[in-house]
Amino acid sequence: MDVSHIIDPLNDAQRMAVTAQAAPALVLAGAGSGKTRVLTHRIGWLVVAGGCSPQEVLAVTFTNKAAREMRGRIEELLQLPTSGMWIGTFHGLCHRLLRMHFEDAGLPQTFEIIDSDDQYRLVRRILNELDLDEAYWPPRQMQWMINQHKEEARRASQLPTGEDYQQQTLYRVYASYEETCQRLGLVDFAEILLRTLELFRNNQPVRELWQKRFKHVLVDEFQDTNTIQYQWLRILTADNKFLFAVGDDDQSIYGWRGAKVENLLTFETDFEGAQIIRLEQNYRSSGHILAAANAVIEKNDGRMGKELWTEAADGNLIRLYGASNEIDEAQYVVSTIESWVQEGHRRDSVAILYRSNAQSRAFEEQLLNAGMPYRVYGGLRFFERAEIKDALAYMRLISNRESDPSFERIVNLPPRGIGAKTLEQVRDHSRAKQISMWQAATEVIAEEQLSARAASALGRFIELIEEIAGATDDQSLESIADKVLQMSGLLDHYKKDKSEKAQGRVENLEELVTAANNFVPGETEDGDLDPLSLFLANAALEAGEGQAAEWEDCVQLMSLHSAKGLEFPLVFLCGLEEGLFPHQRSLEEAGRLEEERRLCYVGMTRAMEQLYLCYAEIRRLYGKDNYTQASRFLSEIPMDYIEEIRSSSISRPLHRPVRPGAQSMTNNSSASNGLQPGTQVNHTKFGEGMVVMIEGQGDNTRVQINFSDAGLKWILPAYAKLDIL
DNA sequence: ACGGGTGGCTTTTTT
DNA sequence: AGCCACCCGT
């Protein structure tokens, strides 16, 4: 069997990984070290040299994009269709398992996936039903806590029940949420994973079926796995132990949403006979960029240890620009891009990266001024848009009359005279008789509990849905989407409105018809589901692209998080200021600073040829000017790799990066009295704490301190004495 | 039932 | 500053 096309393009470490004996393997793949290549070639190796059938391979990723890319690259490598392979996201694959085993998983066949927006609405409804004041029990927080527990595989029944009223209330909300979801056949994102885990845990035949089925399990971005995903992988690989995990502890940036780097750090002890292979040769960045990134990440403790190297030349120095404010920062970035483009480079070879999305505004203004096409990543994606969700709700109600979230969403949209009071009656009835809103509505009308006017409005809605259902029966997806838009009145509703916003909505709705037309259901090893249900499930699991229209060749603007996995010849890493990056919210919580540093590392390692680092002395945030201090991360980069560029209008001495080994930032202004974020201080009244944020100058300086006992406080050092510890 | 004024909040994001 | 949710007036 000829395997040269699989083996030859690899370096030694990559080849070792790809051809590793069948045993648990962890590939520590540094940024730009060819991680996807190793994954795809590993699968190719297993199939071509290992005699493994494609059906015996399971490959898991986090995003649909990564899954698609892997599929594409395997097909390219093997010149074979990959349809028999289970390649997908954790959620996509688990959803497929749940569909196949819905009964064993305790779900109705028509179970419906709800996104976090639907989940939020549901949590609010439950708080309302339990008579809990939203002011005391913020729905966002309750939703967050429910998800937190679910991600740790904890059911409400496993919650610690104490005397604590707070805990008791959380228990009531979580338990009621669980009960409601179960009754309505609703499954949130975490539930998809948790259900599958429980199915495997509690159902031996099902567990063994899949344990035997998959001889090899491969996982991408292993550092991002959460507790459920990890436990599920453990069960799935329990008898053969052939887990092939690829990840990088230095690129773990999702700890805040439940990812556990520990899963990667303890791999060696968790999986018996595990081999660890390091990919340390970087093929992406020039020498200076890589060296600087290495210097930053070295400051973190508890790493598995890894130092990237490159055969590439040193390249240009990293350029550091200290701007006077965020407008200056944006102007500098845009004019630099203009020269770059004039030199003959493409615009899409450039990325502007920032810590928080709000920063994009200043850049967008300058790009617009310069007439430079750009694309902003982030924000609502296609299937998350309100008007799209409205149309989908009609489609879902047609497909399943019992879908309460859909009923609630569109019962009065476009407005048809069904008010809050009428709905409250329907809700009461549905709650009392434990039936769906749809059934409750029909009964309430039949029992003549409503005013004539309300009853007729509600009756017309029910007729409308039946009418659309009749007209779309057995029709193509495209035609269903089209008829829903026409008959529901949604399209007319927005067409009447001449505002720019409404016009965009009309375009989006029309785009939905195209999406329905283009939809190709995946394989159906499992499936006797109709295309409509598959389309709706797909819409929930894959929210689609961020922006409807894409420019061919434009500058890319995105948050650091969205940039992970991407690379650009020219990168601007902007807003390197204490409080913004690292973000102050991260400074307040233990362990988060290191995650911010990894984020910085991720950002720097996106750059191939040229990296710019920028900060602004004054940044307008939430409507007011803030005097900033350069990010500590800048001081962690040895000067040897940096070339400083001064703004002509800069008002105070630029921050100086230090040589390796030297103490970080010497304090420059008397204003802050030697205080800087991170400084430990003692206050006569509040005790010990850490400086989090400094604002203002001279006697007006105010310092935010996180006291270990008193919590966050603003202090005026000019009046209150602070001792530096 | 709907629209306008007011008050609170404001990291990162996938599924 | 801007966005969103809520309240109140019509």
Side-chain angles (χ1 to χ4, degrees), chain A residues 140-187:
Chain A
R140 287 263 168 239
Q141 225 164 301
M142 302 307 275
Q143 179 189 19
W144 186 80
M145 290 203 277
I146 290 173
N147 287 333
Q148 203 76 359
H149 285 297
K150 280 199 177 188
E151 270 163 19
E152 295 296 325
R154 267 195 303 275
R155 291 292 183 190
S157 57
Q158 293 158 276
L159 245 51
T161 45
E163 295 297 294
D164 189 8
Y165 179 63
Q166 190 103 7
Q167 281 198 340
Q168 285 175 2
T169 308
L170 174 62
Y171 168 79
R172 281 171 64 212
V173 175
Y174 185 10
S176 172
Y177 172 81
E178 268 183 347
E179 189 273 319
T180 308
C181 287
Q182 182 61 36
R183 187 162 42 83
L184 303 179
L186 305 177
V187 172

Side-chain angles (χ1 to χ4, degrees), chain A residues 417-480:
Chain A
I418 301 168
K421 215 159 159 256
T422 311
L423 275 177
E424 206 37 66
Q425 286 188 60
V426 178
R427 235 174 257 132
D428 284 343
H429 191 79
S430 119
R431 202 174 311 153
K433 296 194 70 181
Q434 298 276 300
I435 52 176
S436 66
M437 290 290 282
W438 177 269
Q439 283 175 33
T442 43
E443 287 186 12
V444 165
I445 295 169
E447 291 166 16
E448 295 180 0
Q449 295 178 18
L450 299 170
S451 67
R453 196 170 159 169
S456 112
L458 194 56
R460 260 183 284 131
F461 171 70
I462 297 212
E463 276 164 34
L464 174 67
I465 296 298
E466 294 291 7
E467 214 177 293
I468 302 177
T472 56
D473 195 33
D474 267 351
Q475 300 264 311
S476 70
L477 262 183
E478 185 189 17
S479 144
I480 295 174

Side-chain angles (χ1 to χ4, degrees), chain A residues 307-323:
Chain A
E307 184 149 12
L308 296 187
W309 59 277
T310 178
E311 284 175 354
D314 284 347
N316 289 341
L317 289 170
I318 293 168
R319 302 205 176 110
L320 172 64
Y321 182 72

